[in-house]
Amino acid sequence: MLVPDIGEALRSYAGQSFLFRVLRDYQRFGITHVTLLTTEETSDFLPLIHEKLPLQGALTACGLSTFTVKDLQQRAPKLSDTFFLARGDRLCDGAVFPLLPLMTEHLETPRSVIDPNGTPALTLLSKQALRAVPASESLTGLLHTYSETISVASPVLSPDTLPFSAYPLHRPAVFLDRDGVLNYDHGYIGTRKRFEWITGTFSALRRIARSGHYIFIVTNQSGVARGYYSEDDVKSLMNWAIASIRSEGATIDDWRYCPFHPTAPVEHYRQDSEWRKPAPGMIQDLLMKWDVHPADCFLIGDQETDLQAAAAAGMPAYQVTSEKTLLDWTMELLP
């Protein structure tokens, strides 16, 4: 991430620095390992920003003598095969979405998202494509000149853009149960083999994401407490599901699960937990981590316990049935 002027990127509005808001927005898409390319050696500001971000990851800074492609090419061994190049002093709501389906493709040419004024928001490129760019080219020139472009409607904002206040400090959020809402509930689903998407799920998630809402999943997983599968199985399945959702141009911003049950056969998981719905613990943790107001949220689930958890957290809820799917609800609530 290019940060030509640290002072500008750290400019604060309503208690949040511009750079923090940029990094939090990228975390929505699982982008949690970020290197800040700066013209300064100082990195004193990093710990304070890092501890406030909702997701764990790696945040480092690297001082550059020049902002040229050569600097990036020299660091190619540390880069992923496909990676984003963005600016820490630029924000563009929703700019990542068009690039999500391309992240697993073999990119010979960088792809840049631009706003209606032709201002680049960010670029997706591969190490192979990076090698083809002249080493003397500026990194900002790489964003402008060497990419195929994709246009989005949202403007690119900078710290001196007015009104910066138009960019949401606190996004609304949609909370979703998993089994029975995103996928068919075949009972205690711990593997991909038994995971079956409900028709319309990806369309519904794209609609929610493009409405500006966070998307959070809160799921009881008592199959762990019953010994049917492990917590690692839960995480592996969810990582695959979220990757599938992102490849379809949507995202899951964050998720929580509860492996406990009050009468669990597995003693380690036998407890009453504030995270097990109908208790609101999972919802409340996400509200706190992402700085979301419950009055700006709603939940969609298929069980009465989902609705009870939402009520306990102070938000409305809507029930998926065989006659009304997640897509039906999103079309009604987010027209």
Side-chain angles (χ1 to χ4, degrees), residues 92 114-119 151-156:
C92 183
I114 61 173
D115 76 357
N117 298 316
T119 305
S151 298
V152 294
S154 300
V156 172

Side-chain angles (χ1 to χ4, degrees), residues 222-291:
S222 68
V224 175
R226 300 172 194 276
Y228 297 151
Y229 45 81
S230 68
E231 290 193 66
D232 285 342
D233 292 331
V234 174
K235 294 171 185 176
S236 176
L237 180 58
M238 280 300 302
N239 288 340
W240 166 81
I242 292 171
S244 300
I245 289 165
R246 288 176 177 153
S247 73
E248 294 289 335
T251 194
I252 300 298
D253 295 283
D254 207 350
W255 65 287
R256 296 290 185 270
Y257 73 99
C258 179
F260 302 107
H261 191 278
T263 60
V266 181
E267 184 176 359
H268 178 71
Y269 295 105
R270 190 185 304 145
Q271 64 172 272
D272 285 314
S273 172
E274 285 299 311
W275 277 36
R276 179 172 171 78
K277 294 176 289 185
M282 291 189 285
I283 297 173
Q284 291 171 335
D285 189 64
L286 287 163
L287 290 171
M288 178 187 67
K289 283 286 187 181
W290 288 86
D291 194 16

Side-chain angles (χ1 to χ4, degrees), residues 53-227:
L53 289 169
L55 299 181
Q56 296 299 308
L59 180 61
T60 57
C62 179
L64 303 181
S65 56
T66 61
F67 265 57
T68 63
V69 169
K70 180 180 179 181
D71 289 310
L72 201 56
Q73 290 171 336
Q74 290 174 339
R75 288 162 177 77
K78 297 182 179 181
L79 299 172
S80 301
D81 289 338
T82 302
F83 61 96
F84 287 102
L85 182 64
R87 288 187 56 154
D89 57 357
R90 298 289 186 270
L91 266 173
C92 183
D93 194 20
V96 180
F97 286 115
L99 298 176
L100 290 175
L102 304 176
M103 290 180 65
T104 57
E105 293 189 7
H106 178 68
L107 289 179
E108 296 184 357
T109 304
R111 306 291 177 85
S112 288
V113 173
I114 61 173
D115 76 357
N117 298 316
T119 305
L122 78 159
T123 298
L124 179 68
L125 67 161
S126 64
K127 288 198 284 190
Q128 177 183 344
L130 179 64
R131 287 193 293 267
V133 180
S136 59
E137 179 63 69
S138 70
L139 289 175
T140 52
L142 172 58
L143 292 169
H144 282 271
T145 309
Y146 290 89
S147 303
E148 295 181 16
T149 59
I150 303 170
S151 298
V152 294
S154 300
V156 172
L157 303 179
S158 64
D160 57 0
T161 300
L162 296 175
F164 179 42
S165 57
Y167 199 85
L169 277 170
H170 306 281
R171 288 182 181 273
V174 177
F175 289 80
L176 303 173
D177 180 39
R178 192 191 75 179
D179 302 330
V181 176
L182 303 182
N183 56 283
Y184 290 103
D185 190 353
H186 297 311
Y188 306 113
I189 298 169
T191 63
R192 297 187 202 179
K193 185 176 181 180
R194 302 187 63 241
F195 192 100
E196 181 184 1
W197 295 106
I198 294 173
T199 301
T201 292
F202 296 135
S203 295
L205 294 174
R206 283 192 293 267
R207 177 180 287 270
I208 299 170
R210 281 159 177 73
S211 72
H213 287 68
Y214 289 131
I215 306 175
F216 300 133
I217 292 176
V218 286
T219 175
N220 287 347
Q221 289 297 317
S222 68
V224 175
R226 300 172 194 276

